[in-house]
Amino acid sequence: MPELPEVETTLRGIQPHLAGQRIVEIIIRQPKLRWPVPHGLNQRLTGEKIESLSRRGKYLLLQTGAGTLILHLGMSGSLRLVDRKESAGKHDHFDIVLENGKALRLTDPRRFGALQFTRDDPAVHELIAHLGPEPLSNDFSATTLFAKSRGRKVAIKQFIMDSKVVVGVGNIYANESLFLAGINPKTAAGRISLARYERLVASIKQVLAKAITQGGTTLRDFVGGDGRPGYFAQALKVYGREGEPCSTCGNPIRQITQGQRSTYYCPRCQK
Ligand SMILES: [Zn+2]
């Protein structure tokens, strides 16, 4: 699944090709995505200039004079810049055609991706309004996380993966951050001290920033902005390493299931 670093990499990949461009046409081949694609997008946005691109959580926002397009890659989606004449495949659901002869194309075999539109401030849109802070922003701090966690019995791993608490901490990054912070993923969020939250917040920021620098983790479905694979193998310390020796203490990495997701941790290093 494309996670925050992949979406950020996509944004950085497509931004230089889209910013300042006018939309010549929006071709919708499959309107039944995660939510129905709104009617009349082509009429509404043809001729509009893409003023800016940004990201909020895993949503990409393309701001025009008429309103903002909200894009999501879903479970298996990828965005690529193609020549507008390049013929579309079965899973190529929409093209945003630009005046420079390129098209931004969503390929998504599972159709959990999304294309939505709002004329209002996207910050108040129903998909975005309830999102927690961006993990790499100053709004995401140990003090706020500590305050939010008081009285919470939920396991710390599920707590940090809740997008109302903080956005973009997907399964891989939650596992790796908890290892780096030395926190057992099963510990109740409400029982963790401020000092340990300070280590955890620093670890989350470090892991995500590193993944963004490296262009995201290994994802077969992800394709970078120029149509080149946008991923690089990242050295993962615990994720996917069940039974392998811990890089710190040599004890075997253990795998359990939490909230239907795989958790990997070192029982000796993570208390
Ligand atoms: Zn260990």
Side-chain angles (χ1 to χ4, degrees), residues 3 18 38 50 63 74-75 79 86 92 102 107 112 137 139 143 165-166 182 191 223 227 229 246 257 262:
E3 303 221 35
L18 268 76
I50 299 172
Q63 197 201 326
M75 307 285 284
L79 283 167
E86 190 179 312
D92 293 338
K102 300 276 186 191
T107 306
F112 279 108
S137 76
D139 294 338
T143 43
V165 172
V166 55
R191 299 197 54 159
V223 177
C246 167
T257 302
S262 279

Side-chain angles (χ1 to χ4, degrees), residues 246 249 266 269:
C246 167
C249 74
C266 172
C269 295

